Amino acid sequence: MLNQSSDRVPSRAAAVGNSAKALYIGIDVGSTTVKATVVDPVTKTILWHDYQRHHTRQAEYVLQYLERIETQFGADDTHFRVFMTGSGAGPIAPH
């Protein structure tokens, strides 16, 4: 069981210092598909999601997702924290 302090979702300000806007991105890079979700860490609301077959072009699809997310949510005033999982995430995540 997690202790009570780690059960709490950080406030937006705590997540990024004094910034007013923080979002979490979850990306699952599987052997045949890529799935991505954008979540507000304070309200836990899913703000955006997509699921596509990558046709063996995992890195290209991840880049396309990140570009779409940047376009939709803006990068100038938003701090993104990215979490990656899946069989194809290992080679991509360090970049």
Side-chain angles (χ1 to χ4, degrees), residues 14-89:
V16 295
N18 292 326
S19 178
K21 193 171 174 187
L23 297 174
Y24 289 172
I25 301 172
I27 302 174
D28 177 42
V29 186
S31 60
T32 60
T33 62
V34 177
K35 298 164 275 297
T37 304
V38 176
V39 177
D40 181 314
V42 175
T43 65
K44 299 182 183 178
T45 303
I46 296 173
L47 305 174
W48 182 92
H49 62 90
D50 199 357
Y51 168 94
Q52 294 186 24
R53 291 192 170 278
H54 56 62
H55 308 286
T56 70
R57 298 189 323 255
Q58 295 168 322
E60 289 176 46
Y61 274 73
V62 169
L63 179 59
Q64 288 174 9
Y65 274 154
L66 293 172
E67 289 171 341
R68 288 171 53 202
I69 291 166
E70 180 182 34
T71 298
Q72 184 164 344
F73 295 97
D76 294 337
D77 62 345
T78 304
H79 174 81
F80 296 104
R81 187 166 179 193
V82 181
F83 300 87
M84 293 188 72
T85 189
S87 61

